[in-house]
Amino acid sequence: MANHKSALKRIRSNEAKRLRNKYQHKTTRNAIKKLRDLSSKKEAEALMPSVFSMIDKLAKKNIIHANKAANLKSGLASHIATL
Protein backbone atom coordinates (compact mmCIF):
# COMPACT_ATOMS: atom_id res chain seq x y z
CA MET A 1 0.00 0.00 0.00
CA ALA A 2 1.12 3.54 -0.66
CA ASN A 3 2.79 5.39 2.18
CA HIS A 4 2.57 8.97 0.95
CA LYS A 5 -0.43 11.24 0.67
CA SER A 6 0.51 12.14 -2.89
CA ALA A 7 0.72 8.45 -3.85
CA LEU A 8 -2.78 7.84 -2.49
CA LYS A 9 -4.08 10.80 -4.47
CA ARG A 10 -2.30 9.52 -7.59
CA ILE A 11 -4.01 6.12 -7.17
CA ARG A 12 -7.42 7.80 -6.92
CA SER A 13 -6.84 10.08 -9.90
CA ASN A 14 -5.43 7.25 -12.03
CA GLU A 15 -8.53 5.16 -11.37
CA ALA A 16 -10.82 8.05 -12.31
CA LYS A 17 -8.87 8.68 -15.52
CA ARG A 18 -8.85 4.97 -16.37
CA LEU A 19 -12.63 4.77 -16.06
CA ARG A 20 -13.13 7.94 -18.13
CA ASN A 21 -10.78 6.68 -20.87
CA LYS A 22 -12.49 3.27 -20.87
CA TYR A 23 -15.93 4.89 -21.23
CA GLN A 24 -14.81 7.17 -24.08
CA HIS A 25 -13.03 4.35 -25.91
CA LYS A 26 -16.01 1.99 -25.62
CA THR A 27 -18.43 4.70 -26.76
CA THR A 28 -16.27 5.37 -29.81
CA ARG A 29 -16.01 1.68 -30.66
CA ASN A 30 -19.81 1.37 -30.50
CA ALA A 31 -20.17 4.42 -32.78
CA ILE A 32 -17.73 2.86 -35.27
CA LYS A 33 -19.70 -0.41 -35.28
CA LYS A 34 -22.94 1.53 -35.80
CA LEU A 35 -21.39 3.41 -38.73
CA ARG A 36 -20.14 0.18 -40.34
CA ASP A 37 -23.55 -1.47 -39.99
CA LEU A 38 -25.36 1.31 -41.86
CA SER A 39 -26.41 0.42 -45.39
CA SER A 40 -27.54 3.88 -46.49
CA LYS A 41 -24.77 6.11 -47.80
CA LYS A 42 -26.68 9.25 -46.86
CA GLU A 43 -27.04 8.20 -43.21
CA ALA A 44 -23.41 7.08 -43.06
CA GLU A 45 -22.17 10.42 -44.43
CA ALA A 46 -24.28 12.25 -41.86
CA LEU A 47 -22.83 10.20 -38.98
CA MET A 48 -19.24 10.23 -40.27
CA PRO A 49 -18.10 13.66 -38.93
CA SER A 50 -19.17 12.90 -35.37
CA VAL A 51 -17.41 9.51 -35.39
CA PHE A 52 -14.26 11.03 -36.89
CA SER A 53 -14.35 13.70 -34.18
CA MET A 54 -14.58 11.03 -31.48
CA ILE A 55 -11.61 9.17 -32.98
CA ASP A 56 -9.57 12.38 -33.17
CA LYS A 57 -10.30 13.16 -29.52
CA LEU A 58 -9.11 9.71 -28.45
CA ALA A 59 -5.88 10.17 -30.40
CA LYS A 60 -5.35 13.67 -28.99
CA LYS A 61 -5.65 12.34 -25.43
CA ASN A 62 -3.34 9.37 -26.23
CA ILE A 63 -6.08 6.84 -25.50
CA ILE A 64 -5.33 5.37 -28.92
CA HIS A 65 -2.25 5.88 -31.08
CA ALA A 66 -2.39 8.56 -33.76
CA ASN A 67 -1.63 6.01 -36.50
CA LYS A 68 -4.47 3.77 -35.32
CA ALA A 69 -6.81 6.75 -35.49
CA ALA A 70 -5.66 7.47 -39.05
CA ASN A 71 -6.16 3.82 -40.03
CA LEU A 72 -9.65 3.74 -38.53
CA LYS A 73 -10.67 6.95 -40.30
CA SER A 74 -9.21 5.76 -43.60
CA GLY A 75 -11.00 2.43 -43.38
CA LEU A 76 -14.30 4.05 -42.50
CA ALA A 77 -13.98 6.58 -45.32
CA SER A 78 -13.30 3.86 -47.89
CA HIS A 79 -16.17 1.77 -46.52
CA ILE A 80 -18.57 4.69 -46.87
CA ALA A 81 -17.29 5.45 -50.36
CA THR A 82 -18.18 1.93 -51.51
CA LEU A 83 -21.77 2.12 -50.22
Side-chain angles (χ1 to χ4, degrees):
M1 191 63 200
N3 293 321
H4 296 280
K5 219 174 183 180
S6 61
L8 293 170
K9 182 177 179 182
R10 175 61 67 191
I11 289 168
R12 287 194 311 269
S13 65
N14 283 347
E15 179 66 11
K17 287 175 188 173
R18 184 186 71 83
L19 291 174
R20 187 180 318 117
N21 290 343
K22 182 180 165 186
Y23 170 78
Q24 290 173 343
H25 196 185
K26 185 65 176 175
T27 304
T28 304
R29 286 198 306 258
N30 287 339
I32 290 169
K33 286 177 191 171
K34 183 179 175 185
L35 183 61
R36 286 190 192 198
D37 290 341
L38 290 176
S39 57
S40 167
K41 185 169 185 169
K42 198 170 195 176
E43 290 177 11
E45 286 177 340
L47 187 63
M48 189 172 69
S50 64
V51 174
F52 278 18
S53 174
M54 293 168 84
I55 293 171
D56 287 334
K57 286 175 186 173
L58 290 181
K60 183 179 178 185
K61 295 175 183 176
N62 289 322
I63 298 171
I64 62 172
H65 196 275
N67 291 354
K68 180 179 174 72
N71 286 335
L72 283 171
K73 288 166 56 177
S74 172
L76 288 171
S78 63
H79 172 73
I80 291 169
T82 59
L83 287 178

